[in-house]
Amino acid sequence: MTSALDPSRPDTPRRLRTAMFVDFDNVYIGLRRLDPDAAEAFATDPGHWLSELESGSDADGDFTRRFLVRACYLNPSVFSRFRPNFTRAGFQVVDCPSLTQQGKSSADINLVLDAVDALDADTRYDEFVIVSADADFTPLVQRCRAADRRVTIITASPAASAYRAVADTVITADDLAELVTAGQAAAEGGDVPATAAEPVALPEPEPAAASSGSSAPEPGPAAPAAGSARAGRRDEQTVSASSPGSLAARRAVLQRVRSADRPVPTGAVAQAAQKADPTLPSTRWAGTGGFLPWLSQAVPELGVAARPSPGYVWDPKRFGEADLPGAAAEGPAGTDATALQRQVVAVTDTPGLSRDNYRVLLTALADDVREHPFERTATARRVRDACQAAGAAVGRSTVNTVISGVLYVGLELDATVTAVDVAEAWADNVVGLCRGARMELTEADEIAIDDWVGGGLLDDLED
């Protein structure tokens, strides 16, 4: 008999021996700022989100996780009420009381010591999952990578770019909030968003004619009419869209794009398709003539843009053209961003909006929370729509980034907030990210950053 996870079977997903370490205080507090309902779901039903993480996909295909180590570190004087929930879910709960007058617990050092012990354990763990946005864990992640272990970090608040860069996979705060509340959405009959850690649903490809209503842009040359002679010749030469190779390439592309935390360069997506179906180049991409025409026919639900170079592919449910790298780095008149702005964007992943577009976004956010109670998903959608209506190229991912940033520095998004309040909080967050990334900022640099990311709204404060 063969196991359901027999590695000799080509369709069997990889099984990862995983060790998970949860910095509870960091995650719960971060989620509570972003989405109180998500924070409660995370703390009260860890078994649910743990099961959501048991299967997933990446550029190499599907995988399953076996959590051999489940450790949760929390401050019992503040969060003891959540201890039974994690114990019931099979976690080893490590009490980390505050040992200083400032209230800082010993969670960090306990987590690091246990993770280093796991690196040297007799059991070889394939993957280390660090659930925390604390950049202090960067040396630990580097140590795990040096030992040839896969590392996944799960954050609940803005995390330093250097910390995210050393991980193999990053599940962002928005992804985590959607993941921990996925069961609630399903129970209410709503759509459950795909996250970086969820297995990808793979519907059968539809005929090209059926995809005419897709919102994804149509890249490359338009497909010829079905009745044309060229279409007839192509049909004779192509590999069927339902062939195992084509389905495997489609599956690989969806896995690569939907598991990414940002739009993916077209070259990386093409490489994933070729790895799954090596015959594509020799058949001129199933007779379509090139990668982009093949992509528009085989995976029409994805968004595609040839510019900025080298071109990008994204999941329209999570991103838009305004989320492309450098898509908004130019002002309305086409003026190039300054060297300082380019460095801030590159080092901190701050959205590269123009000053005017930041003004539109920050004002729209303040206006919205004065008119409607703040609710992360609904607020982000309304603000994105308001920006688009005002002619500002602002995507949902950018709106979520700004919301997370202002909440992280402690701004309450309620009916009393003004655009200047939002601008000040966002500017403080960006300057903090720059300092955390060890950028050496002069006073003039800080003033320039405040003016840029504050959309000019802070000028009156300086007068």
Side-chain angles (χ1 to χ4, degrees), residues 17-23 42 46 49-54 65-73 86 89-92 111 114-115 118 125 127-132 152-154 171 176 179 197:
R17 292 183 291 269
T18 301
M20 170 179 277
F21 304 90
V22 180
D23 183 356
F42 168 80
W49 55 260
L50 193 68
S51 66
E52 292 291 314
L53 291 169
E54 285 181 350
R65 291 184 174 103
R66 186 182 180 203
F67 291 101
L68 302 182
V69 173
R70 307 176 185 183
C72 176
Y73 305 82
F86 281 81
F91 280 83
Q92 174 193 4
L111 189 157
D114 289 348
Y125 300 103
E127 180 186 40
F128 284 70
V129 177
I130 311 298
V131 188
S132 176
T152 293
I153 62 173
I154 302 177
I171 297 178
L176 177 60
L179 185 146

Side-chain angles (χ1 to χ4, degrees), residues 360-424:
V360 172
L361 168 54
L362 300 173
T363 302
L365 177 55
D367 290 345
D368 187 86
V369 296
R370 284 199 302 270
E371 296 176 8
H372 309 280
F374 173 70
E375 196 281 312
R376 181 180 59 90
T377 303
T379 299
R381 182 178 63 252
R382 289 193 300 266
V383 172
R384 187 270 316 274
D385 292 344
C387 291
Q388 299 286 349
V394 177
R396 192 183 79 173
S397 175
T398 296
V399 176
N400 282 329
T401 298
V402 172
I403 289 175
S404 297
V406 300
L407 292 175
Y408 182 70
V409 298
L411 181 67
E412 294 289 337
L413 291 176
D414 55 29
T416 66
V417 77
T418 67
V420 172
D421 294 332
V422 179
E424 191 170 15

Side-chain angles (χ1 to χ4, degrees), residues 433-452:
L433 291 174
C434 292
R435 296 204 176 281
R438 301 299 187 266
M439 283 182 62
E440 296 182 1
L441 299 178
T442 65
E443 183 177 352
D445 289 337
E446 290 194 30
I447 293 174
I449 292 172
D450 287 350
D451 179 67
W452 164 43

Side-chain angles (χ1 to χ4, degrees), residues 299-375:
V299 202
E301 61 267 44
L302 297 181
V304 185
R307 291 185 300 272
S309 180
Y312 291 88
V313 183
W314 65 90
D315 179 1
K317 292 182 179 180
R318 301 169 62 207
F319 305 107
E321 290 189 22
D323 298 309
L324 299 180
E330 296 184 351
T335 303
D336 288 339
T338 67
L340 176 62
Q341 291 175 13
R342 287 194 294 269
Q343 184 181 19
V344 171
V345 171
V347 171
T348 68
D349 289 334
T350 294
L353 299 183
S354 67
R355 180 178 184 269
D356 289 344
N357 282 353
Y358 263 126
R359 189 183 190 95
V360 172
L361 168 54
L362 300 173
T363 302
L365 177 55
D367 290 345
D368 187 86
V369 296
R370 284 199 302 270
E371 296 176 8
H372 309 280
F374 173 70
E375 196 281 312

Side-chain angles (χ1 to χ4, degrees), residues 230-363:
R230 180 180 175 186
R233 290 193 299 270
R234 188 183 66 186
D235 289 342
E236 295 174 0
Q237 299 170 0
T238 62
V239 178
S240 169
S242 61
S243 69
S246 292
L247 290 177
R250 171 184 162 82
R251 182 179 294 109
V253 166
L254 287 172
Q255 288 170 341
R256 180 68 179 89
V257 174
R258 288 179 173 170
S259 65
D261 63 352
R262 65 191 65 191
V264 184
T266 53
V269 180
Q271 185 176 14
Q274 291 183 58
K275 183 176 180 180
D277 183 4
T279 68
L280 284 173
S282 62
T283 61
R284 297 183 67 250
W285 289 91
T288 61
F291 169 65
L292 290 182
W294 174 85
L295 188 66
S296 67
Q297 177 176 308
V299 202
E301 61 267 44
L302 297 181
V304 185
R307 291 185 300 272
S309 180
Y312 291 88
V313 183
W314 65 90
D315 179 1
K317 292 182 179 180
R318 301 169 62 207
F319 305 107
E321 290 189 22
D323 298 309
L324 299 180
E330 296 184 351
T335 303
D336 288 339
T338 67
L340 176 62
Q341 291 175 13
R342 287 194 294 269
Q343 184 181 19
V344 171
V345 171
V347 171
T348 68
D349 289 334
T350 294
L353 299 183
S354 67
R355 180 178 184 269
D356 289 344
N357 282 353
Y358 263 126
R359 189 183 190 95
V360 172
L361 168 54
L362 300 173
T363 302

